[in-house]
Amino acid sequence: MTIRVAIAGARGRMGSTAAAAITEAPDMEFVGALDYKYDGWYINEGTLIEKAHGVRVYTSLAELYQAHQPDVLLDLTDPEAVFPNAQKAIALGIRPVIGTSGLTLEEINQLQLLCEQKGIACILAPNFSIGAVLMMKFAAQAAHYLGDVEIIEMHHDRKLDAPSGTAVKTADMISSVRTPHLQGHPDEQVNAYGARGADVQGMKIHSVRLPGLLAHQQVLLGGEGELLSIRHDSFDRKSFMPGVLLSIRESVRHQDFVNGLEQLI
């Protein structure tokens, strides 16, 4: 079976890398691009052209579906676009695979309900990197024994949301095994707002945004007389492609909502 894949956000850096990976995969076909502009244009080897050569761009998911009947919509857009895109996809019977972070808990719950009603899968992956998923799982295992945790996530300066979806997911996974408690001195004085980072049940998350970075995260777990550091670094967007392809393949095998690539590994 050849999996027919449409991409929302195919003109972006992550989207163009994913388009190339899907095109090279023997069991997949890149059939259409969903965008908010350039309707009727074409994407040919990562370049946007007006000539009818390559994969067509659509501004309407309904029209894209009518023309190509994609099995999967890979969404690599932004938090404002991804939720309505996923709603429309599920209504049409297209399985969303979402690589955009920033969805609210209410939106995630709504998508889960829509998947249950429609009987199709939706995969939400805050991070497609296999190494990053393993880092999160290892951190959750370690937190059984070392419950004082701080997370430092570092991304490029064009990233919109803070903290990152990966950091939030890491904190959620750790929270499932960690007893909530405050860390640091009980009378701690914070003299500059935000100096201690975001608070998640007493854990701290620190977000760094700088040019030259791509996607990096370090989880620090402290104990009496010791420190465990678990770190993952993505230096190239190609590091996300094995997870992208895995998620697409798994989406056609599932009939439910999957929150996190760790559920598939």
Side-chain angles (χ1 to χ4, degrees):
M1 171 188 172
T2 298
I3 306 172
R4 301 168 65 81
V5 183
I7 301 177
R11 290 188 295 111
R13 289 171 291 184
M14 182 72 168
S16 59
T17 305
I22 290 166
T23 301
E24 293 173 3
D27 57 341
M28 298 181 194
E29 181 183 1
F30 176 28
V31 297
L34 180 65
D35 210 311
Y36 69 95
K37 60 181 180 179
Y38 297 114
D39 186 61
W41 287 49
Y42 289 79
I43 294 176
N44 184 24
E45 296 183 350
T47 302
L48 189 68
I49 58 175
E50 291 187 79
K51 186 171 65 174
H53 184 62
V55 177
R56 189 186 161 182
V57 177
Y58 294 82
T59 54
S60 166
L61 183 57
E63 290 182 12
L64 192 160
Y65 178 75
Q66 186 175 15
H68 303 287
Q69 290 79 49
D71 302 299
V72 175
L73 174 67
L74 174 63
D75 198 307
L76 302 169
T77 55
D78 57 59
E80 292 183 359
V82 66
F83 181 63
N85 285 348
Q87 285 182 305
K88 294 172 186 175
I90 294 169
L92 290 167
I94 308 170
R95 304 159 182 85
V97 172
I98 300 170
T100 303
S101 57
L103 285 172
T104 66
L105 181 59
E106 181 181 357
E107 290 170 336
I108 291 171
N109 290 337
Q110 287 187 45
L111 292 180
Q112 184 172 5
L113 179 61
L114 289 173
C115 287
E116 292 173 357
Q117 293 172 344
K118 196 72 175 181
I120 64 171
C122 173
I123 295 179
L124 174 62
N127 196 318
F128 282 117
S129 163
I130 303 297
V133 173
L134 292 173
M135 173 264 298
M136 290 187 275
K137 294 184 77 168
F138 296 157
Q141 289 178 324
H144 276 286
Y145 308 99
L146 299 171
D148 281 10
V149 183
E150 302 221 0
I151 299 169
I152 305 170
E153 58 94 350
M154 298 160 281
H155 285 79
H156 55 88
D157 60 342
R158 306 303 295 169
K159 185 170 179 60
L160 295 175
D161 57 320
S164 69
T166 300
V168 172
K169 184 66 177 179
T170 304
D172 287 343
M173 292 171 65
I174 291 173
S175 295
S176 67
V177 300
R178 173 185 177 273
T179 301
H181 65 277
L182 294 176
Q183 298 176 178
H185 197 286
D187 297 323
E188 184 176 74
Q189 296 181 1
V190 178
N191 297 319
Y193 177 77
R196 290 291 291 121
D199 188 283
V200 180
Q201 297 185 9
M203 283 183 287
K204 301 297 183 180
I205 302 178
H206 310 269
S207 296
V208 177
R209 298 290 178 267
L210 287 172
L213 297 173
L214 180 57
H216 317 264
Q217 180 167 294
Q218 186 174 18
V219 184
L220 302 174
L221 302 102
E224 191 68 35
E226 63 178 340
L227 175 71
L228 174 62
S229 175
I230 303 174
R231 177 170 176 138
H232 175 264
D233 298 276
S234 283
F235 301 108
D236 191 297
R237 287 175 177 81
K238 290 181 180 179
S239 67
F240 305 122
M241 294 308 108
V244 168
L245 299 181
L246 172 66
S247 298
I248 291 171
R249 292 183 180 113
E250 290 295 325
S251 72
V252 300
R253 299 178 185 142
H254 284 73
Q255 294 180 322
D256 55 355
F257 185 89
V258 178
N259 188 0
L261 195 58
E262 74 278 359
Q263 307 294 333
L264 305 175
I265 296 176

